[in-house]
């Protein structure tokens, strides 16, 4: 194969820089040709992939956090020729990689990334932007993109929790009209996430049951404004114990959902700032991304 490899040297704890020679060695020894591109700034990976010449490359590999993969997918979406993607995760959380069952060891992940076992999974559309596995608003969503990189490097996903707990004393809620599956919900919400992953912020199994990354449906989790500490505790218990009831917890699956509000609400997409908007239309794009995964035998 002729491979284009784009990577973020600043993701994680400098893992890409340390593993880069071995990764290149693995790819070349497998008989593939390789072009490399180190990202220069936010959005650079998307531009690099979008501008690749047609009919030259057979696969795009990327290393970094989920945000780097998000950019590669965004760039691929704008191309006429769609190429399979190989993901060698190196970020501090790597939720989507965990959902795909990719190896945590970068050298092992490199072998998977150039392998022949390809999986077609869904991608999300947030207004006109793409996202890979999560769009969210409310409590904790600012944490991911406001936590300094050096803090993420030292603490990993514990950093998100620590930074988030600092904000609990000043929790903001948002008045929203949510239209989905023929129903309308209008109320104050503390938090909301639309996901295609079984892991968020490094925490597994909080997005729902029977997660299928290629069923054309995303999992929706909405938390209304609790009227008491008891109601908040019920919600937290319900997120952990799936069959536990909670008045202010809404969970369901959908391929299309609309959020409307009077004020601009900040959103995060795959851990990066997604903008402040008053209306959001989210759609699931079935099997829009082809990505290399481990074979069942492994």
């Amino acid at each position: 194969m002729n491979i284009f490899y784009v990577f973020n040297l600043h993701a994680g704890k400098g893992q890409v820089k340390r593993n880069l020679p071995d990764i290149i060695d693995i790819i070349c020894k497998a008989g593939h040709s390789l072009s490399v591109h180190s990202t220069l700034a936010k959005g650079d990976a998307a531009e690099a992939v979008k501008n690749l010449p047609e009919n030259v490359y057979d696969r795009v590999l990327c290393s970094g956090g989920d945000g780097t993969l998000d950019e590669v997918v965004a760039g691929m979406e704008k191309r006429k020729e769609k190429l399979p993607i190989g993901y060698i995760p190196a970020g501090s959380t790597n939720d989507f990689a965990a959902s795909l069952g990719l190896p945590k060891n970068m050298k092992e992940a490199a072998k998977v990334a150039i392998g022949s076992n390809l999986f077609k999974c869904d991608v999300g559309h947030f207004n006109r932007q793409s996202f890979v596995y999560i769009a969210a608003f409310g409590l904790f969503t600012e944490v991911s993109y406001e936590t300094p990189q050096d803090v993420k490097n030292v603490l990993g996903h514990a950093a998100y929790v620590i930074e988030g707990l600092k904000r609990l004393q000043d929790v903001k809620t948002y008045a929203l009209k949510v239209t989905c599956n023929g129903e309308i919900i209008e109320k104050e919400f503390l938090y909301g996430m639309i996901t295609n992953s079984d892991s968020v912020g490094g925490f597994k199994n909080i997005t729902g049951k029977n997660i299928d990354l290629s069923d054309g449906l995303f999992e929706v989790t909405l938390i209304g404004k609790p009227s008491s500490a008891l109601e908040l505790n019920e919600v937290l218990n319900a997120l952990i114990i799936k069959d536990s009831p909670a008045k202010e917890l809404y969970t369901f699956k959908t391929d299309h959902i609309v959020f409307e509000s009077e004020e601009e609400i900040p959103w995060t997409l795959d851990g990066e700032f997604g903008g402040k908007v008053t209306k959001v239309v989210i759609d699931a794009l079935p099997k829009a991304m082809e990505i290399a995964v481990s074979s069942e035998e492994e």
Side-chain angles (χ1 to χ4, degrees):
M1 291 187 294
N2 191 14
I3 293 173
F4 182 79
Y5 180 28
V6 56
F7 46 81
N8 177 6
L9 288 175
H10 302 291
K13 303 175 182 179
Q15 297 174 65
V16 178
K17 188 179 295 185
R18 291 196 302 272
N19 287 279
L20 190 58
D22 289 329
I23 291 171
I24 292 175
D25 186 59
I26 288 169
I27 295 169
C28 292
K29 281 184 176 177
H32 308 300
S33 57
L34 182 67
S35 299
V36 299
H37 179 87
S38 178
T39 58
L40 304 174
K42 182 177 174 62
D44 185 51
E47 285 297 307
V49 172
K50 182 184 73 173
N51 295 325
L52 287 178
E54 301 284 322
N55 304 312
V56 172
Y57 293 98
D58 302 294
R59 186 169 301 184
V60 171
L61 267 55
C62 66
S63 283
D66 291 329
T68 304
L69 175 63
D70 182 72
E71 286 197 20
V72 168
V73 172
M76 192 69 70
E77 187 182 52
K78 296 176 181 177
R79 292 175 53 82
K80 180 179 179 181
E81 179 194 26
K82 303 295 191 286
L83 300 171
I85 296 170
Y87 184 29
I88 307 171
S92 53
T93 312
N94 299 319
D95 288 309
F96 193 65
S99 296
L100 290 171
L102 299 181
K104 293 182 178 180
N105 179 281
M106 289 190 70
K107 291 185 281 291
E108 292 303 314
K111 296 174 184 177
V112 172
I114 59 175
S116 59
N117 196 36
L118 299 176
F119 172 68
K120 290 185 178 181
C121 65
D122 304 333
V123 171
H125 246 193
F126 174 96
N127 292 343
R128 294 192 176 184
Q129 302 180 66
S130 65
F131 67 95
V132 175
Y133 76 97
I134 182 171
F137 70 88
L139 182 66
F140 294 138
T141 55
E142 296 173 351
V143 171
S144 179
Y145 56 83
E146 290 187 358
T147 303
Q149 185 64 52
D150 58 347
V151 175
K152 292 181 184 179
N153 291 348
V154 172
L155 298 177
H157 49 253
Y160 302 117
V161 180
I162 292 170
E163 291 293 317
L165 290 174
K166 294 177 184 177
R167 302 163 193 266
L168 280 177
Q169 60 187 8
D170 187 28
V171 174
K172 180 175 176 57
T173 59
Y174 300 96
L176 280 163
K177 175 183 177 182
V178 182
T179 306
C180 184
N181 298 335
E183 297 184 6
I184 295 176
I185 307 171
E186 293 187 78
K187 67 181 309 168
E188 294 270 334
F189 287 101
L190 183 72
Y191 176 78
M193 63 180 178
I194 297 84
T195 60
N196 194 39
S197 170
D198 61 11
S199 174
V200 171
F203 298 96
K204 291 184 69 66
N205 303 320
I206 67 169
T207 57
K209 294 181 177 180
N210 305 315
I211 307 300
D212 184 340
L213 305 186
S214 62
D215 62 357
L217 297 172
F218 280 1
E219 283 66 39
V220 179
T221 302
L222 302 174
I223 300 176
K225 181 181 180 179
S227 60
S228 65
L230 179 60
E231 281 192 356
L232 178 59
N233 191 52
E234 286 178 352
V235 169
L236 295 176
N237 285 337
L239 286 171
I240 299 169
I241 308 170
K242 298 305 174 187
D243 295 325
S244 177
K247 177 183 176 182
E248 294 298 337
L249 181 65
Y250 302 81
T251 59
F252 49 89
K253 295 175 183 281
T254 190
D255 62 354
H256 177 80
I257 188 168
V258 179
F259 295 86
E260 297 171 277
S261 60
E262 293 292 330
E263 66 173 314
E264 290 187 332
I265 296 177
W267 285 74
T268 178
L269 304 178
D270 296 334
E272 303 293 332
F273 183 53
K276 292 184 177 181
V277 291
T278 57
K279 183 175 181 179
V280 171
V281 179
I282 294 177
D283 292 292
L285 307 182
K287 300 182 178 179
M289 173 173 61
E290 191 169 33
I291 190 165
V293 296
S294 301
S295 64
E296 293 182 1
E297 290 75 16
E298 295 174 344

